[in-house]
Amino acid sequence: MGDAKLRDRRYSPFMARDERGVTPQGEDFSAWYNELVAKAQLVDRGPAKGTMVIRPYGYRLWELLQGELDRRIKDTGHENAYFPLLIPESYLRREAEHVEGFSPELAVVTHAGGKELEEPLVVRPTSETIIGEMMAKWVSSHRDLPLLLNQWANVVRWELRPRMFLRTTEFLWQEGHTAHADEADAMRETMLALDLYTEVARDIAAIPVVPGEKTAGERFAGAVRTFTIEGMMRDGKALQAGTSHYMGTNFAKAFEIQYTSEAGRLELCHTTSWGMSTRMIGGVIMTHGDDKGLVLPPRLAPYQVVIVPIGRGEQGEQTLSAARDLAVRLKAVGVRAHVDDRPQLSPGFRFNDWELRGVPVRLELGPRDLESGTVVMVRRLGDEGKQTISLASAAENMPDVLEAFQAFLLKRATDFRHAHTTTVDTWDSFTDAVTSGWASALHCGNPACENDIKAKIAATPRCVPLDAAQETGSCVHCGAPSAYGKRVIFGRSY
Ligand SMILES: [Zn+2]
């Protein structure tokens, strides 16, 4: 392969203008997403089916999210630990529902060290079993409780229809696992984790999620109760962005996680588990992105501000030097700033590039701006348009500009969700509502009725919202008396 071809391949995303854009959302949302994650340099495909290479820009996004979540997990008394990737297959069999739920997705190691293993090892799909085994060893008295653990890890669930970030064979997450003396304490923990997720989604990712409980048919394999946060994507579909499970004593029975109570009796622990994963990044992309590309909330943006110096030759050197100086001042006030030092590319091309990559604020600095002591500020979205601001005060004002942009994104997403959620009482209006968004409907709670709905219109109950008003009546599909005492959100989902 000649040099020219190599260079061509390497630079093609920058050189071929027409190939830079993405398919409009309205034309094909799924194509928009698939093209964007690649062109914004978040991910690349791994060689094994369904695997994902997370590139530095995408990984930085994950690190920022992880940092926010990790701090909250620690602040609420949990400790990080690490458990093995390989789990004896027999462990999974100990909890019948758990193994049934995960079997189709398991990757199993049968050979190692050049021979067949006596007992196959499962590559962890989740760690309830191995952590349960360890908890049983570590808990003996009521004084050992609660035991509050968290693990940051990768997990493997064999994926037949992979989508980057949303469904990949291997993904990154945190999994909280806790053991408690009784149901009340374990339920407090389950709801605490759900609150952490709601807060991180809303305040950091600017995704106005709805916290609620899953119906029996949508519960985690082996859980007594499953809670979720559901976000609405810009195609109207739902994304489950984090879940928290109360396991009752199911895993405690299977793994003999027991303690001696104050009264001297041997009791089973009540356990919980909860997880949030790299799927959240898919949620950020689909909640805020538009036809120009990504739109990143400032609190998660690898670069919150990009400065584009303009000009060639000596003028170019002057604006570049002023841009670097401004970046230093921005960093000093805590802003993640980046200077686009690519004079070989046209300003217009670079503007489009940073729009595609979702940078919240772009500062354009040309020779004339430098002369007049100004800089042109462009927000990634909103009505403000281009604004000429003072170069001297650009840095000190930037944290406020970023906060306002963060708030703007949350409000925009909240308005969108409200506009695409319909309260419905008839089957016709139900089917209309789930074609473009969510339906808030009364439902009988019967799993067979849920399945009928799913078969007819591909919509599933996303959650029974925690804060919904009390209401009863008849099921929107079968007419039987409603369950739950409130409305259920239905939608198509990822
Ligand atoms: Zn029904």
Side-chain angles (χ1 to χ4, degrees):
M1 196 186 304
D3 270 6
K5 193 158 181 198
L6 260 179
R7 207 163 40 237
D8 211 45
R9 274 181 49 165
R10 183 163 169 211
Y11 287 108
S12 62
F14 295 110
M15 304 303 270
R17 187 63 199 281
D18 336 350
E19 288 176 19
R20 284 302 280 162
V22 285
T23 300
Q25 289 183 337
E27 204 173 287
D28 185 343
F29 194 86
S30 153
W32 168 83
Y33 181 87
N34 293 337
E35 292 166 22
L36 184 54
V37 290
K39 288 187 174 177
Q41 298 175 27
L42 296 173
V43 288
D44 212 332
R45 278 176 215 287
K49 186 176 158 72
T51 58
M52 153 175 83
V53 176
I54 308 179
R55 300 182 67 178
Y57 196 61
Y59 198 76
R60 184 71 186 123
L61 255 173
W62 172 240
E63 280 184 327
L64 288 160
L65 180 75
Q66 191 182 33
E68 293 286 349
L69 191 54
D70 192 60
R71 179 167 60 76
R72 287 168 173 80
I73 289 171
K74 286 175 178 148
D75 282 353
T76 45
H78 306 86
E79 292 179 303
N80 284 342
Y82 187 78
F83 296 84
L85 169 74
L86 299 174
I87 303 175
E89 198 179 39
S90 59
Y91 280 30
L92 272 88
R93 296 191 196 291
R94 287 195 217 163
E95 216 291 331
E97 281 186 33
H98 191 66
V99 69
E100 195 191 319
F102 277 103
S103 280
E105 303 175 338
L106 292 181
V108 184
V109 179
T110 55
H111 289 75
K115 53 184 183 183
E116 189 169 352
L117 297 174
E118 271 175 40
E119 180 180 358
L121 299 168
V122 166
V123 182
R124 71 176 155 229
T126 177
S127 302
E128 276 76 7
T129 59
I130 190 149
I131 294 181
E133 174 77 6
M134 291 299 138
M135 281 177 163
K137 249 172 107 171
W138 298 340
V139 173
S140 57
S141 142
H142 62 93
R143 282 180 294 270
D144 301 324
L145 297 171
L147 180 57
L148 307 175
L149 299 173
N150 179 62
Q151 157 166 275
W152 287 98
N154 56 340
V155 286
V156 167
R157 297 178 186 179
W158 216 255
E159 195 52 71
L160 300 176
R161 293 181 305 129
R163 288 293 290 282
M164 295 290 116
F165 291 120
L166 303 173
R167 281 194 312 266
T168 47
T169 287
E170 178 186 2
F171 59 86
L172 305 181
W173 76 345
Q174 61 66 222
E175 45 181 323
H177 293 272
T178 68
H180 306 261
D182 56 32
E183 176 174 354
D185 202 47
M187 273 307 297
R188 258 195 302 278
E189 170 73 20
T190 307
M191 301 320 283
L192 170 76
L194 194 72
D195 282 348
L196 296 186
Y197 292 157
T198 307
E199 185 182 304
V200 165
R202 185 192 56 215
D203 297 350
I204 306 302
I207 304 179
V209 291
V210 175
E213 182 163 6
K214 285 285 186 194
T215 62
E218 299 279 320
R219 231 173 250 154
F220 178 78
V224 173
R225 299 180 75 177
T226 287
F227 295 84
T228 177
I229 53 170
E230 299 282 325
M232 183 188 279
M233 306 296 103
R234 288 194 78 77
D235 60 352
K237 285 194 195 171
L239 182 83
Q240 175 181 302
T243 48
S244 183
H245 317 286
Y246 167 59
M247 304 297 192
T249 54
N250 291 348
F251 284 86
K253 268 181 213 142
F255 290 89
E256 299 178 336
I257 313 170
Q258 309 175 92
Y259 70 98
T260 313
S261 71
E262 265 175 283
R265 274 195 310 269
L266 195 60
E267 307 269 6
L268 285 170
C269 287
H270 293 247
T271 65
T272 81
S273 76
W274 29 279
M276 184 177 262
S277 73
T278 35
R279 174 166 242 249
M280 264 295 277
I281 297 177
V284 169
I285 298 166
M286 293 193 292
T287 300
H288 304 298
D290 65 9
D291 289 348
K292 288 182 185 169
L294 298 178
V295 178
L296 298 178
R299 289 185 184 168
L300 284 183
Y303 305 141
Q304 296 170 313
V305 174
V306 165
I307 310 165
V308 184
I310 301 162
R312 292 193 173 265
E314 198 181 320
Q315 284 186 325
E317 274 164 37
Q318 283 167 357
T319 55
L320 176 60
S321 151
R324 287 191 172 136
D325 175 61
L326 177 55
V328 169
R329 288 190 288 129
L330 283 165
K331 283 174 189 169
V333 293
V335 172
R336 291 188 289 276
H338 174 74
V339 176
D340 180 344
D341 177 17
R342 296 181 295 175
Q344 73 277 19
L345 300 173
S346 77
F349 182 88
R350 289 186 280 165
F351 299 164
N352 289 342
D353 189 36
W354 295 117
E355 282 185 345
L356 180 93
R357 299 182 78 185
V359 172
V361 174
R362 179 173 82 238
L363 296 175
E364 307 170 5
L365 189 58
R368 256 183 288 170
D369 298 303
L370 208 51
E371 246 168 58
S372 55
T374 58
V375 61
V376 174
M377 177 168 78
V378 189
R379 293 170 186 81
R380 177 60 180 78
L381 267 185
D383 303 325
E384 284 98 343
K386 285 196 176 200
Q387 255 182 313
T388 302
I389 60 169
S390 148
L391 183 56
S393 61
E396 62 182 281
N397 291 333
M398 196 51 69
D400 289 344
V401 170
L402 293 171
E403 275 309 289
F405 189 72
Q406 178 88 26
F408 165 79
L409 289 188
L410 179 62
K411 180 171 187 309
R412 174 175 173 263
T414 308
D415 291 348
F416 183 86
R417 195 191 84 208
H418 286 150
H420 293 82
T421 303
T422 318
T423 300
V424 299
D425 292 311
T426 65
W427 179 245
D428 277 352
S429 47
F430 181 97
T431 57
D432 275 355
V434 297
T435 330
S436 59
W438 293 355
S440 171
L442 291 169
H443 189 260
C444 61
N446 181 350
C449 181
E450 278 183 15
N451 287 339
D452 277 356
I453 293 177
K454 190 175 179 180
K456 281 183 188 164
I457 189 102
T460 50
R462 304 317 305 158
C463 70
V464 184
L466 296 181
D467 66 354
Q470 295 299 306
E471 195 176 337
T472 54
S474 45
C475 175
V476 71
H477 181 246
C478 72
S482 69
Y484 315 113
K486 45 170 93 168
R487 285 178 183 269
V488 182
I489 288 178
F490 280 83
R492 291 175 176 165
S493 71
Y494 282 95

